[in-house]
Amino acid sequence: MLQMVSRFGHLRRAEIAASVWPSSSPESAKKMCSITVRRLLARRELEERPNALGGKSLVVALRGVRRLALSGHESADGRDLSSVDGPQFYHRALGTNYLIQKLREGAQVFGEYAILKQRAPATRAGLKERFNKFPDGLVLYPASSRGYNGPRFAADWIEVESNVKADADIANMMRIALRPGVWLDAAETTVIDRVVFLFDARQRHEAAFCSYLRREVMPVLSDYGDGVLHNIVFARAQIRTPLIWEGCTEVTAAEVLLRSTGESALLKQPKEDV
């Protein structure tokens, strides 16, 4: 549990239960989480802090950092993390829940905190140099499972959408989405395969992205290749207020646009070997 909290920086109890006991029933996971959290709080290895949604989040305390160090795991004191009670909490928590779902499905995941702490497969300096921006998360799969022969891993670059974006911001994010297959890291072990836009399904982010694609990308689709729209994914999170995760479904931009345009070319999925 300490390792999981350290991985994400801070977690709520429901997130701990889902990530630490993925094979247990929700009731059993909740019970085991409650018992373990209570014990670690008593040992002062975890500390509870109010979060921006009016609930409680757990962070690793100094004694927890020391315990993790004894088992060879690097950690940091999380008691001063501004993302717990700051305006970015909702954004971070939404991304965390998506990554936990992918973790439960067997993928490797790296959240915003892991990237900040240099625990991801690409350094912050490298990401800044290559893309001039940082992902909100990374999900790694064996490259062969995505049709690549050369790289070791294929990555989903996660963009969490919690605020309405202007066209200029959408265009900035699409720079990466429209060039799949580029190397994520300087060591050339991982390629970016897809860009996943994650949002609360009740909001209108998907409509804004599709509008942009129709105006700016569809008229020049041949410049990018017909298959590129399969590498843009909309992750529709089912959320109950304030932020209770109930799952997520994914659909590609190609599928969404096909339904509205009937363009059969969008179904082509060419992928060159890397």
Side-chain angles (χ1 to χ4, degrees):
M1 180 185 289
L2 280 174
Q3 291 181 37
M4 193 63 68
V5 177
S6 175
R7 172 185 292 196
F8 289 101
H10 51 82
L11 291 173
R12 297 175 297 172
R13 282 172 171 77
E15 294 154 357
I16 292 174
S19 57
V20 178
W21 292 278
S23 301
S24 301
S25 68
E27 296 77 14
S28 178
K30 181 179 178 180
K31 181 177 180 180
M32 289 186 287
C33 175
S34 178
I35 293 170
T36 308
V37 165
R38 186 162 58 246
R39 183 171 67 247
L40 294 179
L41 286 173
R43 292 177 181 172
R44 289 190 287 172
E45 294 176 351
L46 283 181
E47 184 169 304
E48 195 168 49
R49 286 184 53 191
N51 61 48
L53 295 181
K56 300 286 187 179
S57 291
L58 285 305
V59 300
V60 179
L62 189 56
R63 287 191 178 185
V65 173
R66 291 170 180 163
R67 182 179 173 190
L68 286 170
L70 291 174
S71 57
H73 294 282
E74 182 183 355
S75 185
D77 187 344
R79 292 174 295 175
D80 295 326
L81 285 173
S82 62
S83 55
V84 179
D85 55 5
Q88 67 271 49
F89 178 81
Y90 184 93
H91 181 276
R92 176 75 68 86
L94 185 58
T96 293
N97 277 274
Y98 177 81
L99 293 174
I100 288 173
Q101 177 168 312
K102 294 303 173 182
L103 185 67
R104 289 166 60 94
E105 294 171 3
Q108 293 188 54
V109 305
F110 302 88
E112 196 173 345
Y113 186 71
I115 295 168
L116 175 67
K117 292 296 183 179
Q118 308 285 18
R119 300 173 191 165
T123 65
R124 281 180 61 80
L127 290 167
K128 177 70 174 177
E129 180 180 351
R130 286 170 177 267
F131 308 105
N132 201 33
K133 72 189 308 295
F134 307 110
D136 296 316
L138 293 167
V139 182
L140 268 58
Y141 301 89
S144 59
S145 70
R146 294 284 181 86
Y148 294 98
N149 294 325
R152 184 178 178 189
F153 297 108
D156 284 354
W157 176 296
I158 313 303
E159 291 282 348
V160 179
E161 305 307 316
S162 53
N163 298 305
V164 176
K165 296 289 193 302
D167 273 3
D169 297 317
I170 294 176
N172 188 39
M173 290 185 286
M174 285 295 174
R175 285 189 301 106
I176 299 170
L178 294 171
R179 50 189 287 223
V182 299
W183 293 109
L184 175 73
D185 58 330
E188 297 189 350
T189 64
T190 305
V191 292
I192 299 175
D193 184 51
R194 309 191 308 174
V195 172
V196 178
F197 295 102
L198 169 67
F199 48 83
D200 183 335
R202 299 171 296 183
Q203 299 176 340
R204 292 186 52 80
H205 298 291
E206 185 175 317
F209 282 118
C210 286
S211 177
Y212 176 87
L213 290 170
R214 289 189 188 97
R215 291 193 320 272
E216 304 295 335
V217 177
M218 295 284 288
V220 292
L221 188 58
S222 59
D223 293 349
Y224 301 104
D226 294 334
V228 73
L229 294 177
H230 289 275
N231 298 87
I232 299 172
V233 178
F234 302 127
R236 304 161 172 169
Q238 283 74 56
I239 303 294
R240 283 195 291 119
T241 304
L243 202 169
I244 300 172
W245 182 266
E246 294 191 327
C248 183
T249 58
E250 297 182 1
V251 61
T252 68
E255 293 171 304
V256 175
L257 294 171
L258 175 66
R259 286 198 292 268
S260 61
T261 66
E263 284 285 344
S264 60
L266 297 180
L267 291 179
K268 297 180 183 178
Q269 301 187 60
K271 180 167 290 183
E272 297 179 359
D273 291 345
V274 174

